[in-house]
Amino acid sequence: MQNFILADQQELTAFALTTLIREQEGVTLHQAENKEQLMNQLQQKEESVVVIDYTLFDIQDEEQLMIIISRFPQAHWLMVSDDLTPQVMRKLVYSTRNVSIIFKDSPLNLYRHALSYVMRDERYLCQRATEVLLCQQSEEVKQSKVLTQTETEILRGVAQGKTTKEIASERYSSIHTINTHKKNIFRKLQVNTAHEAIKFAFRAGLVDPSEFYI
């Protein structure tokens, strides 16, 4: 028996989603009107499918959403929204495997398709979400090309877990020089931390996944 939790405060959308979920065989459905109810229900049944538009729910922002998702790793989250930015979608998809995305204006057959996926604990991304993510990745690849060969190699070294001292030693450079390169990398990629730069390197294909230690 698959347990669903519907967290949507729009009456018309909630009615439509309720109807679609109850079409599925072997499901139970509960509704959460606020974050507290959602948390309580997840604590009782962690392996639930949460159908949610967090932008219209009792969740402050995507950071708070990510915290809740991380607290319940056995749950599967079906994001139903028209207001997910490319940045938020990217964060959700790359941070965890138990998030699926469908836009509210998707046809009914895609909703049924998405529900069949999440009931098997498989990720579902509607075509529009996939296209947005691929477009974003393409932009990142273009942006990565502004890095010099030296900067790319240094960023790869950082992603491989090497310290500034180790990178400097390998390149026969001073620590000051490597730090200057890092600052230039951050500026060009428009990031503020090494962690963000490493994630960028991974998404842009600058670093092989087997070398990624974050």
Side-chain angles (χ1 to χ4, degrees), residues 1-205:
M1 183 71 70
Q2 178 66 64
N3 186 61
F4 277 80
I5 302 173
L6 178 58
D8 195 309
Q9 295 175 329
Q10 288 187 311
E11 290 186 4
L12 185 59
T13 304
F15 175 79
L17 289 170
T18 297
T19 301
L20 288 169
I21 292 170
R22 286 179 173 163
E23 286 181 356
Q24 312 304 310
E25 294 184 3
V27 303
T28 58
L29 175 62
H30 299 85
Q31 288 188 278
E33 296 183 0
N34 52 52
K35 182 177 64 178
E36 182 179 359
Q37 288 186 10
L38 175 60
M39 301 282 280
N40 287 338
Q41 291 182 29
L42 281 170
Q43 287 171 355
Q44 295 173 21
K45 189 82 171 181
E46 292 191 8
E47 296 180 358
S48 296
V49 174
V50 181
V51 183
I52 184 171
D53 181 353
Y54 91 95
T55 63
L56 298 175
F57 195 65
D58 181 26
I59 294 178
Q60 184 176 347
D61 52 30
E62 67 268 17
E63 296 300 332
Q64 189 175 76
L65 174 65
M66 292 303 302
I67 291 171
I68 297 173
I69 290 175
S70 66
R71 285 188 58 183
F72 299 98
Q74 296 184 64
H76 196 110
W77 300 75
L78 177 58
M79 301 291 161
V80 181
S81 179
D82 285 331
D83 298 318
L84 293 175
T85 66
Q87 292 75 21
V88 171
M89 282 195 288
R90 183 177 61 189
K91 182 180 294 186
L92 289 168
V93 170
Y94 288 135
S95 297
T96 177
R97 61 162 295 279
N98 59 335
V99 169
S100 296
I101 298 175
I102 188 169
F103 285 88
K104 281 192 173 179
D105 60 357
S106 297
L108 289 178
N109 66 307
L110 289 189
Y111 275 96
R112 294 187 175 100
H113 200 45
L115 290 172
S116 69
Y117 266 66
V118 299
M119 286 183 66
R120 299 193 300 268
D121 196 27
E122 296 179 12
R123 167 174 283 168
Y124 178 83
L125 298 176
C126 67
Q127 182 177 352
R128 182 174 159 195
T130 302
E131 290 173 352
V132 169
L133 289 168
L134 288 175
C135 181
Q136 186 75 16
Q137 185 179 39
S138 176
E139 288 299 316
E140 289 173 345
V141 170
K142 291 178 182 178
Q143 192 175 1
S144 70
K145 292 180 180 178
V146 305
L147 299 181
T148 66
Q149 182 65 32
T150 295
E151 290 166 345
T152 300
E153 292 172 358
I154 290 172
L155 179 56
R156 185 177 294 115
V158 173
Q160 292 170 348
K162 296 176 182 178
T163 65
T164 300
K165 184 177 180 180
E166 289 172 334
I167 296 172
S169 177
E170 289 179 356
R171 301 189 61 81
Y172 302 101
S173 300
S174 69
I175 292 177
H176 173 75
T177 298
I178 301 303
N179 282 331
T180 299
H181 281 304
K182 284 184 178 179
K183 289 178 182 179
N184 289 334
I185 292 169
F186 288 6
R187 175 178 55 79
K188 289 180 178 182
L189 300 185
Q190 299 179 16
V191 299
N192 298 313
T193 67
H195 184 68
E196 291 174 334
I198 292 169
K199 289 197 294 184
F200 181 99
F202 179 57
R203 294 193 302 266

